[in-house]
Structures are given as C-alpha cells and as structure tokens.
Amino acid sequence: MTDVIVVSDYDPQWPEQFEDLRQRLAPHVADLAVSIEHVGSTAVPGCAAKPIIDLDIVVPEEAAMPELISRLAGQGYRHEGDLGIRRREAFQAPPTAPEHHLYGVVADSKPHLDHVLLRDYLRQRPDEIHRYSALKVALAQRFPADREGRAAYSTAKSALVENLVARSYAARAAGAS
C-alpha cells in the first residue's frame, strides 16, 4: 500500500501561507479580479485539512476568464479546465511555487458561493468543524495517497460536504450566516 492521505490538525500558519500566495498573484490579476479568497478547510480555524492552501481568484464575469487564464499561464500556471464544475477553472501551480490549489471563479456563481458560504458557515460552527474534521481524518487513514485513493476519499466525504453546503445556503437565506 502507498502512503496514506495526509490530513493535519489546523495550522495557524495556513492564513500566512495564503497571504504569501495572494501577494504573489495579486500584481498579475489585481485589475481583473474582484478578490482573491482563501477557501477550503485551511481557511477554517480549527478544521483538520490536507495541508494545501485553496485559493479562488474571483472575476466579475465569465468574459474575464480567458484573460485570467492567459495571465496565469504567463506566471507558469497550467490551466486544467473546469474539471466538471461549470464557471470554475482549475490551475496547476508552477513547480517552483508552494503546493496549492488555485481556481478562477465568477463572482456570485455557484462554485464561488459554494466555497465562501461553506467556509463562512463552518467558521461559525465548531460542532460542524469537529464532525467534518473527524470524517476527513478517518477517511484519510482508510485510503492510499494514489490517484484512486484520493478520488475515493473525495467521494466518501462528498455526502457530508453537500449537506454542509446546503446548510450554508439555508443559513444565508435565513440571515444567520
């Protein structure tokens, strides 16, 4: 069996790592982006996570995406397409950059809202952070760190993620988040 998937306890250095990455990207996209957001579990204090920073570069409209793709390519990022999620473009970081996941999203699109609403929902709910963290730790121990194992890990946690995303939208609608 190959190495297991690494899921770490929350690291207070993750926001600093995000900020370093944001500062590297901002000069190249500042006039194009609405914001650069820290998303994913590393953006939630107290949440266990794979120690890889997730960032969204938020553009105002779909028409800005080709320019974003071009500018990121100029910085060594490889465009990977939408990976099955419309209005979200994925990028592979240059080999010289710290490991991270980078996405381009359209402001207020479903992929953008899924990321920020879930992040903000979890930040306000330690019980949900604990539940989500416990599942990720258990699943990481179950699956190998190869391609199939990572896919199985993602699939196995998807029901809880979908439930949390639905709750984040409900909380937003109720004015609770």
Side-chain angles (χ1 to χ4, degrees):
M1 186 168 174
T2 60
D3 293 332
V4 295
I5 295 169
V6 174
V7 172
S8 304
D9 288 339
Y10 180 77
D11 185 337
Q13 291 184 348
W14 289 338
E16 295 169 25
Q17 292 171 3
F18 160 75
E19 187 56 31
D20 288 344
L21 290 165
R22 190 192 69 72
Q23 287 182 15
R24 287 179 188 221
L25 291 163
H28 309 288
V29 300
D31 64 321
L32 187 63
V34 172
S35 64
I36 300 174
E37 299 274 349
H38 187 189
V39 296
S41 297
T42 62
V44 179
C47 193
K50 290 187 281 180
I52 301 169
I53 305 300
D54 291 345
L55 301 93
D56 280 355
I57 296 178
V58 184
V59 296
E61 59 190 2
E62 188 94 32
M65 202 60 76
E67 180 64 19
L68 178 66
I69 292 167
S70 174
R71 289 186 189 186
L72 291 174
Q75 297 307 307
Y77 284 85
R78 185 170 58 82
H79 181 227
E80 297 180 305
D82 68 10
L83 303 179
I85 300 177
R86 188 168 126 49
R87 300 183 88 186
R88 184 200 79 179
E89 300 296 324
F91 299 88
Q92 184 175 52
T96 57
E99 186 177 11
H100 60 283
H101 295 151
L102 180 63
Y103 304 99
V105 295
V106 176
D108 298 322
S109 64
K110 183 169 178 1
H112 174 228
L113 292 176
D114 285 357
H115 284 173
V116 297
L117 292 179
L118 176 59
R119 176 200 64 201
D120 295 349
Y121 177 81
L122 287 173
R123 283 177 173 173
Q124 298 173 14
R125 290 165 180 83
D127 57 324
E128 296 287 28
I129 292 171
H130 178 74
R131 183 166 71 125
Y132 187 36
S133 294
L135 176 65
K136 291 193 297 180
V137 168
L139 293 174
Q141 293 170 356
R142 221 172 103 194
F143 297 108
D146 59 17
R147 172 174 273 169
E148 292 80 20
R150 287 189 306 272
Y153 167 88
S154 292
T155 299
K157 71 178 183 133
S158 66
L160 179 56
V161 171
E162 289 170 17
N163 177 268
L164 291 169
V165 168
R167 288 176 185 231
S168 72
Y169 278 91
R172 177 182 185 225
S177 63

